[in-house]
Amino acid sequence: MTKTTDMSLLNSVCVRCHTGFRQDERIVNSHGEVWHEQCFVCAQCFRPFPEGVFFEFEGRKYCEHDFHVLFAPCCGKCNEFVIGRVIKALNNSWHPQCFLCELCNCELADTGFVKNRGRALCHPCHLKEKAASSGKHICYRCHGVVEEDMLIKYKQEPYHAYHFNCTHCSEELNGTARELRGELYCLPCHDKMGIPICKACHRPIEERIVTALGKHWHVEHFVCARCEKPFLGHKHYEKNGKAYCETHYNQLFGNMCFFCNKAITSEMMCTMSKTWCDEHFFCMCCDSLLTTKSKFIEFDLKPVCKRCYDRFPNELKRRQKKTEMASKKYGKNEK
């Protein structure tokens, strides 16, 4: 684009207004077309082009701002105009540097992607997600599915064991390999080092160790067989080769209080074919605490002290005795 007063152009007409030019008027010459200086403006905002820079589309000229607004797509991530190379994917437009894997943030513009649950993922991350949904592992090195007999975890990532060799004997590893202090060893070499193995996770125990049930455990892996909470040094109870916290041991194998229906952890009262916490064995009428030396009568499956029982109406006592006798007679007939 040039601005000129070339006399040879005076016989031309302005492309926009189709009128001629005066001798003292500056003429804009752009790619062989001539314009009045005031006619050479953006087709959208009708303002002069800043620094003479314009964009042309379908024969019309636009300033940079209006061209972006009208024709440049917005990036699906940063929401800025995309100038130059545009990535079209997932019903949106993207800057190449903004189109990233949603899990590892690597650029996908040149490597390709896989649509996974509405997300754009790189091929390795897609394989990991697919394997996770099927309960399998993907090798961190070759991205292939790892069968259980060849799986090892190294630095928290899954691998095919045959990608590594034993640090001590250099033999190719298999699924029995062990990691110790950041190095991998075959099982024979590891066992020669005398390192205990956790019964729960089957990994070496390098720090604090718990020895119980004839086995070794990481502190955080020695847990109650019922609630799975770590004991962390608290007392545990063993039964049938398993460890239990005090609460669940009593619930499963101990005595339950007839009154509170909780495990009895203190002194226990055994009477009337039931067990009671000693603080819960009291008269159902006056709430006075009873002991094994107290005189009490069973009434409606609950203890009543003799003093309260003596105050009962005679008719109530007679019905109680009839009920007891009928109950005993029924029990004999059943036998």
Side-chain angles (χ1 to χ4, degrees), residues 284-285 297-302 304-325:
M284 63 170 285
C285 296
I297 294 90
E298 181 180 356
F299 186 85
D300 193 22
L301 302 180
K302 297 175 183 177
V304 177
C305 68
K306 190 174 184 307
R307 182 175 54 184
C308 290
Y309 182 77
D310 289 341
R311 295 174 183 172
F312 282 3
N314 291 330
E315 181 60 27
L316 181 61
K317 294 178 183 178
R318 282 195 294 270
R319 274 187 286 163
Q320 170 70 8
K321 288 182 180 180
K322 286 182 180 180
T323 302
E324 290 179 359
M325 290 177 64

Side-chain angles (χ1 to χ4, degrees), residues 8 16 51 82 254 264 281 312 316:
S8 64
R16 183 165 184 261
E51 300 179 358
V82 184
I264 301 174
F281 188 61
F312 282 3
L316 181 61

Side-chain angles (χ1 to χ4, degrees), residues 246-271:
E246 184 176 23
T247 299
H248 289 106
Y249 179 83
N250 285 323
Q251 286 183 357
L252 294 171
F253 310 109
N255 295 293
M256 306 297 290
C257 176
F258 178 76
F259 177 80
C260 65
N261 200 34
K262 294 182 179 179
I264 301 174
T265 58
S266 58
E267 294 295 326
M268 178 176 63
M269 293 289 293
C270 296
T271 185

Side-chain angles (χ1 to χ4, degrees), residues 82-274:
V82 184
I83 306 301
R85 186 183 179 190
V86 181
I87 305 298
K88 294 284 187 179
L90 302 179
N91 299 320
N92 218 329
S93 301
W94 315 79
H95 291 105
Q97 65 272 22
C98 289
F99 189 51
L100 308 175
C101 172
E102 289 199 25
L103 294 183
C104 69
N105 290 325
C106 69
E107 290 191 14
L108 302 173
D110 298 316
T111 60
F113 74 98
V114 179
K115 185 177 178 180
N116 183 299
R117 297 180 183 177
R119 304 170 298 174
L121 302 182
C122 63
H123 290 282
C125 287
H126 170 68
L127 289 174
K128 284 184 178 180
E129 288 288 287
K130 186 176 179 181
S133 63
S134 64
K136 295 183 178 180
H137 296 275
I138 294 297
C139 178
Y140 191 72
R141 177 173 294 183
C142 69
H143 308 301
V145 175
V146 185
E147 300 299 333
E148 287 298 324
D149 60 341
M150 288 304 298
L151 172 67
I152 61 171
K153 291 287 188 72
Y154 181 55
K155 296 183 178 178
Q156 307 303 317
E157 297 291 349
Y159 289 90
H160 287 106
Y162 52 69
H163 289 313
F164 301 92
N165 296 89
C166 175
T167 302
H168 186 262
C169 69
S170 300
E171 288 290 325
E172 183 180 284
L173 297 178
N174 55 38
T176 63
R178 297 285 185 265
E179 181 184 352
L180 179 63
R181 301 184 185 95
E183 302 289 346
L184 290 171
Y185 297 88
C186 64
L187 186 60
C189 289
H190 182 273
D191 289 346
K192 290 177 183 178
M193 300 170 71
I195 305 298
I197 300 297
C198 176
K199 177 64 173 57
C201 67
H202 306 292
R203 297 179 66 81
I205 305 174
E206 300 181 35
E207 299 178 355
R208 292 177 60 192
I209 183 173
V210 175
T211 301
L213 304 174
K215 301 175 180 65
H216 302 296
W217 316 76
H218 286 107
V219 173
E220 64 274 15
H221 292 164
F222 185 54
V223 300
C224 171
R226 187 61 178 268
C227 64
E228 297 185 349
K229 291 183 179 179
F231 294 109
L232 301 177
H234 295 290
K235 187 175 181 180
H236 72 276
Y237 298 81
E238 299 180 7
K239 183 77 172 181
N240 299 328
K242 296 181 180 180
Y244 299 88
C245 63
E246 184 176 23
T247 299
H248 289 106
Y249 179 83
N250 285 323
Q251 286 183 357
L252 294 171
F253 310 109
N255 295 293
M256 306 297 290
C257 176
F258 178 76
F259 177 80
C260 65
N261 200 34
K262 294 182 179 179
I264 301 174
T265 58
S266 58
E267 294 295 326
M268 178 176 63
M269 293 289 293
C270 296
T271 185
M272 301 189 306
S273 302
K274 303 176 186 66

Side-chain angles (χ1 to χ4, degrees), residues 17-58:
C17 68
H18 305 292
T19 60
F21 299 94
R22 300 189 306 272
Q23 288 187 354
D24 59 345
E25 189 174 20
R26 297 188 68 183
I27 303 171
V28 177
N29 186 346
S30 175
H31 302 294
E33 297 180 327
V34 291
W35 313 64
H36 291 107
E37 187 173 13
Q38 67 272 19
C39 290
F40 192 66
V41 294
C42 172
Q44 179 69 17
C45 67
F46 306 110
R47 296 178 181 176
F49 300 111
E51 300 179 358
V53 177
F54 64 88
F55 294 80
E56 190 167 355
F57 183 74
E58 295 183 347

